[in-house]
Amino acid sequence: MLRLAWRNLLRTPGRSLTTGGVVALVVFLSILFLSVYGGAMDAFFRLLLERTGHLVVRVAGYRDLEDLDRLAFVPPALDLPPGAQVEGVLEGVALVIAGDRSRPASLTGLTEPGFLRQKRLLKAGRLPQGPGEALLGEALARALRVGLGEEVVVYAPGGLGLGIVALRVVGLLDLPETSLEARTLLLPLADAQALLAPGRVTRLEVRLPEVGLYQLAPLEALKARLAAGLPGLSVETWLEANPTYAAILPLYDVVMAVYLGFFFVLAGLILLNALYLSLVERVREFGLMAALGLSGSQVMALVFWESLLLVGGAALVGLGLGLLLYLELKEGFRLPFPQWILEQYREFGLPEVLYGRLGVKEVLLTLGYSVGVALGAALWPAWLARRLEPVEAMRYVP
Amino acid sequence: MTLLRLAWRNVLRHRRRALLLSLVVGYVTLAVLFMLGFLDGYGESLVESYARYVEAPVVVAPKAWWQDPDPQSGFKAPFRVDHPGVLAQTPRLALPVLLRSPYKAHGAEALGVDPGGERALSRVPSKVAEGRFLAGPGEVVLGYRLAERLDVRLGERLVVETGRKALGLRVVGILRAGVSNVDFAGVYLHLEDARSLTGVWATHLALEAPRGQEEALAQELNRRLPPGLEARGIWSLMGPIRADYEASRLFYLPLLGLFLFLAAIAVASTAYVSVRERLREFAVAESLGLAPWRLAGQVALEAALASGLGLAAGLLGGYALLWYTATHDVFGPLMRLSAELLPEAGLAEHLYTAVRPGYALVAALVVGLSALLALLFPGRLLLRMEVSAYLKEV
């Protein structure tokens, strides 16, 4: 049956090539889209993880609290596995004043490891090396008209600390998002505590070595262990700490599946058309085969085999080409858009260079669609072929 | 006319085949219509958000302010644009401030507005969910998400600080506009209060322009405005989200072209089989005096008619779908999630697809493409046909 199906496909090489080409193109485009989309999502989430840490410890119920008095807490000692790092961070809002200019800013008090992570974003100057020094977002410095070595006054009333402090700008940061850059001021944790809440932090960030982007199981295990010993505090994974982003992940799977579905439905309809044409051309032949003893289910099987062979071969070609391209994409690529669009995309946290990602799940999804299309498209022509009456079919004139 | 009738009869000779082709072309037509409607709807929603809530159809400001948006770079003295294309105008004063409620401080960009002038230009005054819009100095209106973050309620006082001056204002209204920038970050105070905080007349002038003529008016004004001033139209005011819209168009339009091409291939493929089945018929027609190019033309006409059937079905289904998504908030959940994710992007909580007759013309390209491909491939069979060979066949 398989050999017969294969021979039938080769009898109309033009049509088989065209239909197979459409299927291969759809499979290739699917692999391409999934790799690019996966790469974009990875870049988005990697940035988030870098900013949040794997686990975040905050005051329990912090989402309903607004005042710093209740959001800040004295950092407890954490029982962490070897290699894990914990950093205290204190965040607040202040008015940054320089001469006759002022801008509202988000203050972030960091320890040394936190500053070290900012090093690659440093556009000018150096990292703070002691108290009284600060990093400013380049856009914020421009708005305040301050440069390296100049002083800014940070005014943050309403907290438990001094409420006002003078800082020297020692470095300027180039952040991907200009809106964030225009309100970013990083200062040593000790200075932030003196200004806002002595001895306290608003969150603890826990970073674990060698834990991949979507490896949530080790995070959940550590979270459960930590949470038991931290009354009044909540421990969240980086995704839980960013619920809006967390909502995207499952949505992404559904959107991409529906998106690919549109392509495969078109491929399926074109395949259905080709199979039907093939049936119409061979009505007399089917009649003859039935007269010679081929059962209805065998006739159906022949049509299904033809469809499966055609789609299977084409899908393998499309998949092969897609995987070849993926190998290129995973080394890094730029989206084929004008430079101004890529620059604007940075404002949403999407870097200009992305790295393609393709998992087994994505390949299986594509192959699953291909098999589904092969079977679905063959259903009606196979049913028609089965219903052919041998005598009538042999007398058929198109 | 005879050729058309003949082509139509040939299409109807194989009803199942015609039905299958209609399915392919109809599906592609529906996809094309929906995607065009979605893209235009997205663009219209952005224009609506920025023109009516976040910015204005056209904004005029000193060039220094565009470069360095600090109140000190704004208008020092009153200014008015006199141009027949400007339907209304109102001064605005944007100033960076620290807001302090009894419970929390928050940084924001406040907008000093003239309540009367604002009503003529912006939809913000009509989106007050609690209380009322500004009536005079000493008052402030906030977006509801910002009010929640500041933990302030109607009637409570809010301190607005600029570093040099501070004002205590009473919250008189909470806005629920359905546009992320307004709901998450909107702070509106009276123009007089903003002037007393900054000492400048305004930072920019918001202008009303006829819909769709914003960019043209901005260009026209740039030729007439005094040196040192610059007008910008709505698309230039949009910021990074415009890039997403433009990228979507760059991505989807070629894809729609590919869809149309694939559908045309399916039509041409069917036409090829149909021609091969009828080679004797064509040979007879040619021997009776019909020129080969007319036969090829008939095949192209058949392909156009077959795809035209699918086009008609697709147009019906596509416009019905567009009408539904243009009148029902189908994309609301997705937009609300996006607005939550990108609160500064100016996204609206609702997105309705656009419905334009012009989409039918784009979708109709499939008919032309099908006819062209049918002429090129099955049509070529006829041009090369050896009439005597087919007439001898039994």
Side-chain angles (χ1 to χ4, degrees), chain A residues 95 155 157, chain B residues 96-100 159-163 165-167 197:
Chain A
L95 199 64
Y155 171 60
Chain B
V97 294
L98 185 73
L99 303 170
R100 282 177 60 200
V159 177
V160 179
E161 296 192 55
T162 64
K165 285 186 179 177
L167 271 180
L197 283 168

Side-chain angles (χ1 to χ4, degrees), chain A residues 12 15 18-19 22 25-26 29 33 44 65-68 70-71 93-95 97 99-105 142-143 145 155-158 179-180 183 243-245 247-248 251 255 259 261-266 269-270 272-274 276-277 280-281 336-338 340-342 344-345 347-348 380 384 387 396 398, chain B residues 13-14 16-17 19-21 23-24 27-28 31 34-35 68-73 96-98 100 103-109 148-151 161-164 239-248 250-252 255 258-259 262-263 265-267 269-274 276-277 334 337 340-342 344-345:
Chain A
T12 49
R15 190 185 312 138
T18 309
T19 313
V22 171
L25 180 70
V26 167
L29 287 177
F33 289 153
F44 212 44
L65 303 176
E66 297 294 344
D67 53 324
L68 192 63
R70 288 194 284 171
L71 284 167
V93 175
L95 199 64
I97 305 161
D100 60 351
R101 291 195 164 208
S102 66
R103 287 289 183 278
R142 208 167 37 241
R145 286 191 175 157
Y155 171 60
S179 57
L180 188 63
R183 55 170 195 266
T244 314
Y245 289 82
I248 293 179
L251 197 68
V255 167
Y259 193 71
F262 280 116
F263 283 90
F264 276 100
V265 167
L266 178 60
L269 287 173
I270 291 174
L272 170 61
N273 189 49
Y276 178 75
L277 291 179
V280 168
E281 278 179 335
F337 292 132
W340 76 269
I341 288 183
L342 296 182
Q344 295 292 300
Y345 265 153
E347 300 292 329
F348 301 126
W380 186 54
L384 285 179
R387 284 184 57 203
Y396 174 77
Chain B
R13 268 162 76 181
H14 300 283
R16 272 186 189 155
R17 217 181 283 179
L19 183 76
L20 263 181
L21 274 188
L23 212 59
V24 176
Y27 175 73
V28 167
F34 177 73
M35 200 43 78
D68 174 24
D70 187 87
Q72 298 309 318
S73 313
V97 294
L98 185 73
R100 282 177 60 200
Y103 319 100
K104 207 183 171 198
H106 197 279
E109 180 167 278
E148 281 171 13
R149 289 175 76 176
L150 283 163
D151 204 11
E161 296 192 55
T162 64
R164 295 168 75 188
I241 197 68
R242 181 187 166 191
D244 185 54
Y245 170 70
E246 299 284 357
S248 299
L250 284 175
F251 177 71
Y252 284 110
L255 215 59
L258 180 71
F259 258 53
L262 293 181
I265 282 184
V267 176
S269 172
T270 303
Y272 192 86
V273 172
S274 169
R276 282 191 51 186
E277 279 175 353
L334 190 69
L337 187 66
E340 198 70 46
L341 200 66
L342 304 166
E344 289 165 358

Side-chain angles (χ1 to χ4, degrees), chain A residues 4-73:
Chain A
L4 198 62
W6 183 244
R7 196 206 60 183
N8 286 338
L9 287 179
L10 294 181
R11 278 165 64 184
T12 49
R15 190 185 312 138
S16 298
L17 267 177
T18 309
T19 313
V22 171
V23 174
L25 180 70
V26 167
V27 171
F28 171 77
L29 287 177
S30 302
I31 294 290
L32 174 66
F33 289 153
L34 288 170
S35 316
V36 171
Y37 212 78
M41 293 300 275
D42 277 6
F44 212 44
F45 282 112
R46 211 174 291 284
L47 184 69
L48 196 65
L49 175 60
E50 189 184 302
R51 287 179 178 170
T52 316
H54 288 97
L55 290 176
V56 189
V57 181
R58 287 195 179 104
V59 166
Y62 69 93
R63 286 201 173 94
D64 300 323
L65 303 176
E66 297 294 344
D67 53 324
L68 192 63
D69 298 9
R70 288 194 284 171
L71 284 167
F73 60 97

